[in-house]
Amino acid sequence: MSGQSLLVPGELSPTRSVPGNIRRPEYVGKPGPSRYDGPEVQTPETVEAMRFAGRIAARAMAEAAKIIAPGVTTDELDRVAHAYMCDHGAYPSTLGYRGFPKSLCTSVNEVICHGIPDSTVLRDGDIINLDVTAYIGGVHGDTNATYLVGDVDDESRLLVERTRESLERAIKAVRPGRQINVIGRVIESYAKRFGYGVVRDFTGHGINSSFHSGLIVPHYDSPHATQVLQPGMTFTIEPMLTLGTYEYDLWDDGWTVVTKDRKRTAQFEHTLVVTDTGAEILTLP
């Protein structure tokens, strides 16, 4: 693995503004979101709205990914994704969610998730995860992917490729009538082939008009994840695989989650709806 120094917090830029005509999620300006008490199975109309929101999130992520290169700051990635969502009438779901200050998460190298975009400069050999969620039409679409920065070592590159593969295998395992734990079973069994850790305390989640509905989708084989998949259920799968331990530390910012051994980690995510025969990805560009 690359011998680069570990990540340290950078400086935050001022909060980016969102045009006043763009509808805000209900939690903006509040300490946290209201409790979701609606169904996990969504109407066709809600699914169609999520498909639209997911497409904007995927395209915003792709726009930001175009400029990933050594020398670019994570704040600049935030600027690009923020502008794309606002230009297309969407609110960046993370902005103001429980006080999160930016419009996407940028998780570099040993950061498992929830990295805050700042003055951090990407270096040749880094890997970076972009996690983008768009809110439009009263619903959210949530996606993320890990990208290579310049010339990346083989160990990190394989981690990224295999994490993507674990997501694809998990999506193929989704079937009505199966329990949710089939998702984690597939991911964990694949990751174990390479000696990777599978993060346990950060999971996939139900999503619809609520950013996080309360439904939990573990990425390991949990005996407690016995809820049965039904057509119309919407949720994310977002495996986080590590080169070492799945245990973590939390930075003082209250958001940035890093591997306890500071080894690298990768993640991929899609928002899905369960169909009569499997799953449809709602976050395709």
Side-chain angles (χ1 to χ4, degrees):
M1 191 186 77
S2 170
Q4 290 176 328
S5 59
L6 298 177
L7 202 68
V8 295
E11 296 294 323
L12 290 181
S13 64
T15 301
R16 293 189 163 88
S17 63
V18 177
N21 64 315
I22 293 178
R23 179 180 174 184
R24 272 72 169 155
E26 56 82 22
Y27 52 74
V28 174
K30 296 164 52 178
S34 301
R35 182 181 179 86
Y36 178 74
D37 56 6
E40 299 297 345
V41 173
Q42 304 304 310
T43 65
E45 292 77 17
T46 297
V47 171
E48 178 57 32
M50 291 180 65
R51 193 177 287 115
F52 185 73
R55 188 177 304 124
I56 290 177
R59 289 176 176 173
M61 184 175 72
E63 285 299 306
K66 287 178 182 178
I67 68 165
I68 290 176
V72 174
T73 66
T74 55
D75 186 68
E76 181 66 6
L77 300 173
D78 180 79
R79 184 194 65 77
V80 171
H82 177 94
Y84 186 92
M85 285 184 273
C86 291
D87 287 348
H88 291 80
Y91 186 91
S93 300
T94 59
L95 185 61
Y97 180 78
R98 298 187 183 275
F100 192 85
K102 293 296 176 180
S103 298
L104 81 164
C105 300
T106 51
S107 300
V108 179
N109 295 341
E110 69 269 20
V111 180
I112 295 172
C113 58
H114 303 160
I116 300 174
D118 58 19
S119 61
T120 297
V121 176
L122 296 179
R123 302 162 297 181
D124 188 62
D126 283 343
I127 61 174
I128 179 171
N129 179 273
L130 304 184
D131 192 339
V132 180
T133 310
Y135 178 79
I136 188 170
V139 296
H140 301 267
D142 187 3
T143 187
N144 77 55
T146 302
Y147 299 89
L148 310 182
V149 184
D151 185 16
V152 175
D153 64 89
D154 286 345
E155 185 179 42
S156 299
R157 179 180 53 77
L158 286 170
L159 173 68
V160 171
E161 291 176 1
R162 290 165 177 167
T163 304
R164 182 193 295 110
E165 175 68 16
S166 76
L167 172 60
E168 292 174 357
R169 288 174 179 236
I171 292 171
K172 290 176 182 176
V174 173
R175 293 286 188 281
R178 290 181 175 177
Q179 294 181 343
I180 282 180
N181 59 14
V182 70
I183 294 168
R185 186 178 309 128
V186 166
I187 293 168
E188 187 173 40
S189 63
Y190 179 70
K192 279 184 173 179
R193 290 168 49 182
F194 311 103
Y196 296 153
V198 181
V199 173
R200 291 171 171 246
D201 289 346
F202 300 91
T203 68
H205 54 89
I207 184 170
N208 37 66
S209 60
S210 172
F211 195 170
H212 299 88
S213 72
L215 177 69
I216 295 173
V217 184
H219 302 122
Y220 64 98
D221 189 4
S222 170
H224 307 294
T226 57
Q227 187 161 351
V228 174
L229 297 167
Q230 303 175 58
M233 287 179 68
T234 51
F235 54 85
T236 71
I237 303 176
E238 45 188 297
M240 292 151 264
L241 305 187
T242 67
L243 289 176
T245 183
Y246 60 75
E247 295 180 347
Y248 66 92
D249 292 322
L250 183 66
W251 278 7
D252 291 342
D253 61 23
W255 284 104
T256 306
V257 180
V258 296
T259 54
K260 187 169 283 291
D261 58 13
R262 303 303 190 265
K263 291 187 177 180
R264 289 186 170 188
T265 174
Q267 182 185 16
F268 284 84
E269 173 187 22
H270 276 305
T271 296
L272 311 170
V273 60
V274 181
T275 68
D276 290 337
T277 57
E280 177 194 349
I281 299 172
L282 299 178
T283 40
L284 292 175

